[in-house]
Amino acid sequence: MSGPLVVVGDSLLDRDVAGAVNRVCPDAPVPVLDERSAVDRPGGAGLAALLAAAQGAEVALVTALADDPAGARLAELLTAAGVRLYPLRMPGATPEKIRLRAGSQTLLRLDRGGEPGPCAEPPEAARAVIATAGAILASDYGRGLLRQPTLRAALAEASGPVVWDPHPRGTAAVAGTRLATPNLAELRQLTGDAGAGDPLSTATRAGHELRRRWRAGAVAVTMGPDGAVLCHSGSSPLVVPAPSGADDIEDTCGAGDRFAAAAATALAGGAVISEAVTEAVAAASAYVAAGGAAGLHRDAPPARPNRSGPAEELAARVRADGGTLVATGGCFDILHAGHVATLQAARRLGDALVVCLNSDAGVRRLKGPERPVNPEADRARILAALDCVDAVVVFDESTPHAVLSRLRPDVWVKGGDYAGDGAPELPEAELVRSWGGRVVTVPHLAGRSTTATIAAARPRGGNLIKGAA
């Protein structure tokens, strides 16, 4: 694959709440679910991207996220899975689907997010990654992202093969789509086919009709445990059966996403359509045999309470007011004048400043076992006391990518010691630009550093003086 697999489409946050039912509610004839666990995972286009990344593909996701706790959680899950995120700003709320389950039985599904509104224009970085994609998966969940004119133009002009996974409430594929991948029920709704005859004849008839309407290269109709039917330019369809035992499954959630992502990845690798569909049937069958979406729970980061922290709340307020959010990061082990100069300069670039602070474990990885001198709680408290700092968020990862994906600052600032001719680009630069943010450096005070401060406090040849003021 010469470029990444780029997934473009509607994402949502799925949450499975599992528990036990041992009694009936006293004020209504409904079961009472005692919650035992809750697991979050990306849904929609986010799930397709997650599944592709889990197979080792380089994956980028162009999607819409609101400035709310669900959007922050989605960004956290996707970034942790290695997916490069290119978000468009979404008005309102990020959609959520919450399933209440007792054992293998779903008792209720609660949907949040309401009706979708028009998304913002995609940033230049999103258009650029589509243009350089090895393949593109358009994952339509009917919330309108794939109707966005600028995105549709970028998809139509892309050089990589486009696979279109449709939705009955969605939009038609762009011209030049290589492969569309509806399931049989979706296909009947898209074409208005009444379904006369057996499933194979319906898939063949309606598949050719959709291919004609959309002028697509081919249509692969997924048939669950019966595999897939490929309608192409030939007169006879190609029937790709599923492996034996594929009918012994319970959870098929995400099977269509796995199928479409596998087909797009195969096409990017040079496979012809028939080979891509055959590989996709095998991949989707293996996915559901391994437990489907439930099999993802083992590796998912633990669910956080359905609320945002102070930094996320600040970011949402600033953007709601039309302001500019600035962020910077570092260890800030022993606060010195150089740090203060950088923080003050950063704050002047916007309406609020968030400091992304390396945890104690993160500082040890970067600086060695004798650091930090001050624990993270003390470092965070000192930073928060500065007038130029509006919020502090501690992160434990080696890079601030996950916390930046949650905050999505308009400006990311580093001290001027990172600038200069020949200096490498900051590793966070591409991520920040993916949502239209800017990366800048600000002047620093020469000769000020934590390492120098520690060295000056040590007796010659000794360790840092314990209890020194």
Side-chain angles (χ1 to χ4, degrees):
M1 188 185 297
S2 58
L5 171 64
V6 178
V7 181
V8 184
D10 309 297
S11 295
L12 50 93
L13 180 65
D14 276 338
R15 168 170 285 200
D16 287 344
V17 178
V21 173
N22 298 308
R23 64 192 190 279
V24 174
C25 182
D27 55 0
V30 295
V32 174
L33 180 70
D34 290 319
E35 180 178 340
R36 303 289 172 80
S37 65
V39 178
D40 296 342
R41 66 172 182 271
L47 178 58
L50 183 74
L51 294 173
Q55 300 303 308
E58 180 188 359
V59 181
L61 174 63
V62 179
T63 193
L65 296 177
D67 291 320
D68 59 6
R73 179 61 170 154
L74 256 179
E76 178 184 37
L77 291 167
L78 290 163
T79 303
V83 176
R84 288 158 46 196
L85 198 57
Y86 294 80
L88 286 69
R89 288 184 179 170
M90 174 198 294
T94 302
E96 299 178 70
K97 295 187 184 299
I98 303 167
R99 296 172 181 85
L100 305 181
R101 299 172 62 88
S104 60
Q105 178 66 45
T106 298
L107 304 178
L108 177 71
R109 195 183 87 182
L110 171 65
D111 287 2
R112 291 175 175 163
E115 292 298 318
C119 299
E121 284 285 313
E124 174 58 35
R127 302 195 295 273
V129 77
I130 290 172
T132 59
I136 298 164
L137 170 57
S139 183
D140 194 348
Y141 272 77
R143 295 190 62 85
L145 181 70
L146 288 168
R147 298 182 189 275
Q148 212 281 339
T150 305
L151 271 184
R152 288 187 69 83
L155 292 172
E157 295 168 2
S159 58
V162 175
V163 174
W164 200 277
D165 193 10
H167 191 281
R169 296 194 304 273
T171 185
V174 298
T177 291
R178 184 80 61 87
L179 177 68
T181 61
N183 63 38
L184 185 58
E186 291 167 341
L187 179 65
R188 288 180 56 189
Q189 293 181 69
L190 288 165
T191 61
D193 193 294
D198 59 67
L200 176 58
S201 63
T202 300
T204 303
R205 179 179 62 250
H208 279 298
E209 173 61 18
L210 186 66
R211 191 175 78 86
R212 182 191 66 79
R213 291 186 188 182
W214 285 359
R215 299 181 182 178
V219 172
V221 187
T222 56
M223 310 280 286
D226 293 325
V229 176
L230 176 62
C231 302
H232 48 71
S233 57
S235 57
S236 300
L238 174 68
V239 177
V240 182
S244 59
D247 53 346
D248 300 327
I249 56 177
E250 295 182 0
D251 186 0
T252 61
C253 178
D257 299 298
R258 182 72 189 98
F259 178 95
T265 303
L267 290 175
V272 299
I273 292 287
S274 58
E275 293 170 336
V277 172
T278 300
E279 289 184 30
V281 168
S285 299
Y287 166 77
V288 294
L296 301 173
H297 293 178
R298 293 186 297 272
D299 302 319
R304 300 186 305 171
N306 192 25
R307 63 179 185 269
S308 58
E312 287 90 346
E313 292 174 355
L314 172 68
R317 287 198 307 271
V318 170
R319 274 192 284 270
D321 293 338
T324 298
L325 180 70
V326 183
T328 190
C331 300
F332 299 98
D333 192 0
I334 297 178
L335 198 68
H336 54 70
H339 290 145
V340 175
T342 296
L343 294 170
Q344 289 174 332
R347 181 60 177 81
R348 287 194 289 269
L349 297 175
D351 299 288
L353 174 64
V354 176
V355 177
C356 303
L357 181 67
N358 292 85
S359 69
D360 290 347
V363 175
R364 283 192 291 272
R365 288 194 297 267
L366 289 170
K367 305 293 185 179
E370 294 186 355
R371 300 279 296 276
V373 173
N374 292 307
E376 63 191 54
D378 289 357
R379 292 183 283 127
R381 185 173 181 178
I382 293 169
L383 286 167
L386 298 177
D387 290 341
C388 57
V389 175
D390 297 278
V392 179
V393 58
V394 178
F395 67 95
D396 193 49
E397 299 84 1
S398 298
T399 72
H401 284 61
V403 68
L404 286 176
S405 294
R406 297 200 308 269
L407 296 172
R408 302 200 296 281
D410 301 291
V411 184
W412 173 243
V413 177
K414 294 298 282 187
D417 51 334
Y418 285 84
D421 293 338
E425 184 172 63
L426 292 170
E428 305 89 18
E430 183 181 4
L431 175 68
V432 173
R433 293 188 187 118
S434 71
W435 54 75
R438 293 180 292 125
V439 178
V440 303
T441 56
V442 295
H444 73 293
L445 296 179
R448 277 77 166 182
S449 75
T450 300
T451 301
T453 302
I454 293 174
R458 294 182 192 274
R460 184 169 298 177
N463 293 321
L464 187 66
I465 300 173
K466 299 291 186 181

